Amino acid sequence: MEIVNKRVLVIGLGLSGISTIKTLSSLKADVYCYDDKDESELQNVFEKLEKFNYKFIKNYKDYYFDFIVKSPGIKPTNEIIEYFYNKKVPIYTDLELAYTLFPERKIIAITGTNGKTTTTSLVGEIFKTANIKSKVVGNIGVGMLWEIFNSDKETVNIIEVSSFQLHNIEKFKPFIASIGNITPDHIDWHGSFENYIEDKLKIFKNMDKNGNLILNIDDEILNKINVENTNVTTISLKNKKADFYLSENNFYHNDKRLFSMKDLKILGRHNAQNVLISLAICYNYGIIIDTIIFACKNFGGVEHRIEFIRELNGIKFYNDSKGTNVDSTIKAIEALEKPIILIVGGYDKNVDFNPLFESFNGKVKTLILVGDTKYKFYDSAKKNGFENNIIVNDYREVVEKCFEIAENGDNVLLSPASASWDMFKSYEERGNLFKKLVNEL
């Protein structure tokens, strides 16, 4: 893509927007940016961009633009996006633009409803252990475009990819990709579960026989899809016909035992799936199996995912703020021993909460409800016969109430099954506040 002097509008001044402005400005594009916040609220952003050429505007209808780059989280139904869509102005997210600007870069793309952050981090750790030049970028909290711009052709870019980013792709083509699972999530954004599935599966739409797609065949949706355009490596927690599988808590590749789940530092059966995907990705890249095994055994997990905070008076506190959907919270419950005091609630993504209660199996003794979805959770709990529900107003009250009612041997688990955007900017901010308050007890 020819970029010099192209007039570009970057919509949204979050992490991806800042990264995009830096990159496009460095490539000599004529960069404009828009955010629905006032300039007075964006001074910290402007400070980060003071060395780059761009113009902040509010009157976007007064300009012609060659293309738009929107923050991935902005909905397709947003009035600005619809305005430029109707004018047939090309609309990109950072993922599509990264491939369009730097098609020669090596990209490993990792998606799925749950587990992609842990998988991305583990793959990055394996590449680091193997002394392969690589970067972990994308939806994991690092501005993708700027990082890829500052890498070279030898660097492997390991990208956590969201359904928001995949929605707008046309040419994006990773050379290795994985889909861990697909369960209902972000229905408010995509409009329907069918649309969400369609966007997730776009990750491999441009791949060819030079690439490799890793699929979890335990997932009902993924087990039924027909992939003809690229090579497929399968993983499973129960099917020994898969290329990489788990049997009696041991990891196997083509019936050869590799190591045991007891060798891992990370908790939960769901993490076995993340390990299997990481094994398949790195094996397909060509990393020797002994190096992969060593890195897996020494991987300590990621922040905000079933993260142990402290033990006080025999009560253990865990931060699973990244549990932003029902399936993720179910996996966190499965990973811990009973009894559990579970903290749920947050921004409403219009999903069904009933499967959460079906997973309790006597392990959850009390629900602490907070955030926009607290009353929706309360109604769902009552409907499912769960009566021990406590509604609170903020996170200080969350922690104080948990400590008040918890007994020796209890596990207090923050795993909201909801996004953080009702009270926080991100799940990281939510998790950090929870940890701070717990450590102040």
Side-chain angles (χ1 to χ4, degrees), residues 45-243:
V45 173
F46 297 147
E47 288 173 9
K48 296 175 183 177
L49 294 170
E50 60 184 1
K51 295 180 182 179
F52 300 88
N53 294 319
Y54 68 96
K55 183 178 180 180
F56 180 77
I57 62 170
K58 281 291 189 181
N59 53 334
Y60 57 87
K61 292 182 180 179
D62 294 345
Y63 295 84
Y64 163 82
F65 296 103
D66 292 292
F67 63 90
I68 310 300
V69 186
K70 77 175 187 73
S71 172
I74 297 174
K75 294 181 180 180
T77 54
N78 180 285
E79 62 178 270
I80 302 174
I81 304 304
E82 288 188 331
Y83 171 80
F84 286 110
Y85 178 81
N86 291 333
K87 285 189 165 292
K88 297 187 174 6
V89 179
I91 300 170
Y92 296 97
T93 57
D94 53 357
L95 184 70
E96 178 74 5
L97 192 58
Y99 182 79
T100 305
L101 292 176
F102 313 110
E104 75 284 358
R105 299 292 200 270
K106 297 178 182 178
I107 292 176
I108 294 174
I110 296 166
T111 199
T113 304
N114 297 307
K116 52 187 179 292
T117 299
T118 299
T119 303
T120 305
S121 300
L122 176 52
V123 171
E125 195 62 30
I126 295 169
F127 271 72
K128 181 180 176 182
T129 303
N131 291 316
I132 297 172
K133 199 173 182 181
S134 60
K135 287 185 177 182
V136 175
V137 297
N139 197 41
I140 202 164
V142 179
M144 176 198 307
L145 210 56
W146 185 239
E147 289 296 321
I148 294 177
F149 172 75
N150 285 292
S151 66
D152 55 32
K153 294 180 182 180
E154 302 307 313
T155 301
V156 180
N157 295 282
I158 304 161
I159 304 177
E160 178 187 332
V161 176
S162 72
S163 58
F164 302 159
Q165 293 168 309
L166 290 168
H167 177 78
N168 283 89
I169 71 163
E170 292 295 335
K171 297 179 180 178
F172 174 71
K173 183 174 75 170
F175 78 105
I176 297 178
S178 71
I179 312 176
N181 47 58
I182 300 180
T183 58
D185 198 14
H186 301 299
I187 307 303
D188 62 313
W189 197 97
H190 292 274
S192 69
F193 186 36
E194 289 72 24
N195 291 343
Y196 175 69
I197 294 169
E198 182 181 344
D199 284 336
K200 279 292 188 186
L201 298 183
K202 286 179 181 177
I203 196 168
F204 66 88
K205 81 174 211 175
N206 297 312
M207 293 178 70
D208 55 34
K209 292 301 181 182
N210 294 316
N212 201 294
L213 175 67
I214 288 82
L215 286 180
N216 172 20
I217 58 173
D218 294 339
D219 186 276
E220 290 184 12
I221 295 168
L222 299 179
N223 191 35
K224 293 176 182 176
I225 65 173
N226 186 26
V227 181
E228 296 180 343
N229 56 322
T230 191
N231 303 297
V232 174
T233 299
T234 56
I235 69 104
S236 174
L237 294 175
K238 54 191 178 183
N239 189 337
K240 294 182 181 181
K241 293 182 180 180
D243 298 302

Side-chain angles (χ1 to χ4, degrees), residues 26-38:
S26 300
L27 292 171
K28 308 301 181 186
D30 187 10
V31 183
Y32 293 74
C33 63
Y34 171 90
D35 195 284
D36 54 13
K37 293 179 181 177
D38 292 328

Side-chain angles (χ1 to χ4, degrees), residues 15 139 141 304 319 321-322 324 395 414 416 418-433:
L15 192 69
N139 197 41
H304 307 295
N319 165 35
S321 183
K322 200 171 188 321
T324 59
Y395 267 72
L414 168 66
S418 306
S420 59
W421 307 318
D422 58 334
M423 301 170 70
F424 303 95
K425 294 178 181 177
S426 65
Y427 71 81
E428 294 98 336
E429 184 180 72
R430 176 171 63 189
N432 287 334
L433 176 61

Side-chain angles (χ1 to χ4, degrees), residues 11-12 56 72 96 113 130 217 220 224 228 267 277 289 307 314 370 381 396 405 411 422 438:
I11 303 174
F56 180 77
E96 178 74 5
T113 304
I217 58 173
E220 290 184 12
K224 293 176 182 176
E228 296 180 343
L267 295 173
I277 294 171
I289 199 70
E307 176 191 8
V370 68
R396 184 168 293 280
I405 66 173
N411 290 312
D422 58 334
V438 168

